[in-house]
Amino acid sequence: MSERMVVIGGGAAGMSAASAARRTNPALDVVVLESTSYIAYGLCGLPYYLSGVVATADDLFAYPMERFTKDRGIDVRTAAVVTELDPDGQWVVYRMGERTLRLSYSSVVVTAGATPVHVEVPDIGADRTFAVRTLEEAIALRGLLDAGKVGSALVVGAGYIGLEMAEALVARGCSVTVVERLDQVLPTLDPEVAAVVEGHVRERVDLRLGTDACAPGLPVVDLAVVSVGVRPAATLAAVAGAQTGPAGALLVDAQMRTTLPGVWAAGDCIAPLHRVTGEPAYVPLGTTANKTGRVAGTVAAGGSASFPGIVGTAVVKVFDLEVARTGITLAEARAAGIEAVATDVVHRSRAKYYPGGSALHVRLVHGAGGRLLGAQMVGCEGAAQRIDVLATALQAGMTVGDLMALDLAYAPPYSPVYDPILIAAESAARRVEAS
Amino acid sequence: MSERMVVIGGGAAGMSAASAARRTNPALDVVVLESTSYIAYGLCGLPYYLSGVVATADDLFAYPMERFTKDRGIDVRTAAVVTELDPDGQWVVYRMGERTLRLSYSSVVVTAGATPVHVEVPDIGADRTFAVRTLEEAIALRGLLDAGKVGSALVVGAGYIGLEMAEALVARGCSVTVVERLDQVLPTLDPEVAAVVEGHVRERVDLRLGTDACAPGLPVVDLAVVSVGVRPAATLAAVAGAQTGPAGALLVDAQMRTTLPGVWAAGDCIAPLHRVTGEPAYVPLGTTANKTGRVAGTVAAGGSASFPGIVGTAVVKVFDLEVARTGITLAEARAAGIEAVATDVVHRSRAKYYPGGSALHVRLVHGAGGRLLGAQMVGCEGAAQRIDVLATALQAGMTVGDLMALDLAYAPPYSPVYDPILIAAESAARRVEAS
């Protein structure tokens, strides 16, 4: 029998793993078991499909199925739900419709993703409550929107997805109420930065902070979207004995090995190393899913690759704002017992005299000796790509003093002569000097 | 007598030096001698003032004169042309109108800037030939444009300023011919990257490469703009004995000291350290002028500061294109005897399914062991700020392998899940592995 790799999950991580494995070892038999009907679509694109910015669900597929099956020779089985993983016997059990099947493997890559946390919304039936975590669900919801059946909606949770969904529903002409249990939007930002976003959101939807889905006095709505976070789908591997860490996600080394022999993992079910804290962290994002999937597939197929970790970079479009972060927030630093302060500046995104610029809020979080620990940015332009400068600086272990010396590009249409990053770095460096 | 700092030149470097000096030592007497009538305006904004994007010349001033004179207590003398510098006697001689004056100093900062290289344009009088290096000139040219007296123009030189000027003139409805002596536009890019820009420019102006201003067959035009580069205004200090380097620019250490005691220099007349080559380089840009001016003023006033060098980052808007570079080009690497190869990719600037994206050309130049040496980018969006990621990576001494691991931000409106930088890095890393 030839060697067989089984990949559990056909999302970004799973298809990256499968493709990388076939590239690494073309003789390898690669089977992907995906629980839904679709593989390898842009999960992050669902809000834009709902808003209509993306015209059809087909547009969300990076490649047609044949690219994986015919061109890359991957055996993709959809609607295949894995129910058991036996790392000693080296087999998995999965269900397809009525049938229960067993498949032996020489290596297995767990890319089962994450499942949305469910919240009961009073007075809204299950058929009108959406998590929008799968394409099936998005298609159903888009059907309702296209049919003109949604005049009002409740969004539960004001995280990345909640606000993207609020924007999408507003774009479709809905009257939108957003409730958030916490006292701020975007809990992955520091409150002071989130406040800038909050003001922008309040102008566009009925935003209620410190409020949950059961609070009295909420308007009667046509449907609800629940986006209060996800949990890693790690149970299968955890039950089989794999060690878990933050949020119950699977612990992996830099080669994406779990603690079980012959079992790799990648994507939204793992907690990779956070390079700023030096600890594993659960930050489920598409970029990391793609990268860790590729590493897992390469290594599991006998190749060489490694994933040095994340620095916690993320960006989200919130109506007209670009909202971005990298590293750790001041709140996260304090929770982790890391000495830190935050330096905030607001500066124009372009030369003062060049039209079209707007205010860019920059927060740098820095620790002992001015070491950069994180950054947050909010503005109508210039945040989404500028944050990557700081992500790069974090990877390099720079101080705010090092940032001041960055030779950043300047032309009046794109930035002021002192980029907002340099302004923030100078302000931070002065505080470090004075301390 | 109190201590006196004389600053020669009131541009970005000079006013930065003067302001930093007053901040460092409020008791210091600071005199700025500026040869023109204006100080501290945005030189880089002149093309946008000519195009009308910037409405008035007043808009180009970062601050009103009083900010420097009253608030900061700087003695600014305009129309003051320095003719002699005596580092032993510690005095300068300058002319103001008919008068010749002598001023002693305890420290002097030379920020004389750069002067445009002149080219004679046949059949166009001196009054119709512009270098557009000073506000005076820009005001005169804008006057002609506003009066509707310019139907056609010849731009000599297709560097940054030449192409910015071509764009401005087209925006004013002129029929524009651009001649360039070399066989490519933007000689600071590699020819293969410049070719992308060339195609874009050709659709908008009559572009003639390998052609100089005296070539036969050029159209008869109403005026000419000459922008074939600048030379450092280093003569004054050089005659006084200061050592010069590339292009005749003044050599300075990290504290902006020239080789003459008591004489500092900054801005477009110096050749600071290039951190990629480890050699001094002449790259006159506004960002470096501001930074080096501040360091020179701080140190000359008794404070502590240093400038660790440039990495050669620059960006220019060329009609609808963002054109950016950092580090060194393949051609520059070869000229310097540095082993290097270039890896090119073309990738979309946004998620495939998200509308509004465009093709982004990325060239990475890398050397032994995959060390990043430089990068060039051209595209309708996403080049101007992405280049800063690579500038940061250069400062950190990263390899293309390090780049592959960057945790860059992703959301469909802003980038594909694998950012073009990561795609390019992966392609480069594969070549490094295979070699």
Side-chain angles (χ1 to χ4, degrees), chain A residues 50 64 67 80 91 94 97 110 121 141 177 179 188-190 192 219 248 295 310 336 342 346 380 382 424 433 435:
Chain A
L50 290 168
R67 175 74 83 93
W91 45 257
Y94 67 101
V110 180
V121 182
L141 177 50
T177 300
V179 294
T188 58
L189 299 183
D190 280 322
E192 298 82 0
V295 169
I310 61 170
V346 181
C380 288
E433 252 175 53
S435 68

Side-chain angles (χ1 to χ4, degrees), chain B residues 403-430:
Chain B
L403 288 184
M404 272 181 74
L406 287 178
D407 186 7
L408 302 181
Y410 163 60
Y414 307 124
S415 70
V417 67
Y418 277 106
D419 192 275
I421 290 174
L422 301 179
I423 302 276
E426 197 209 341
S427 178
R430 282 192 190 173

Side-chain angles (χ1 to χ4, degrees), chain A residues 345-433:
Chain A
V345 303
V346 181
H347 203 73
R348 262 180 73 84
S349 58
R350 306 186 187 189
K352 200 170 73 170
Y353 53 77
Y354 200 93
S358 55
L360 186 66
H361 295 250
V362 180
R363 162 167 285 201
L364 297 183
V365 178
H366 45 103
R371 183 194 163 205
L372 183 68
L373 297 172
Q376 295 156 66
M377 291 190 194
V378 180
C380 288
E381 66 166 21
Q385 269 149 22
R386 265 195 190 87
I387 201 72
D388 287 342
V389 171
L390 296 160
T392 306
L394 279 172
Q395 177 160 328
M398 287 186 180
T399 65
V400 293
D402 294 330
L403 289 184
M404 274 180 72
L406 287 178
D407 186 6
L408 303 181
Y410 163 60
Y414 308 124
S415 72
V417 67
Y418 277 106
D419 191 275
I421 290 173
L422 301 179
I423 303 277
E426 198 209 341
S427 178
R430 282 192 188 172
R431 290 180 63 187
V432 173
E433 252 175 53

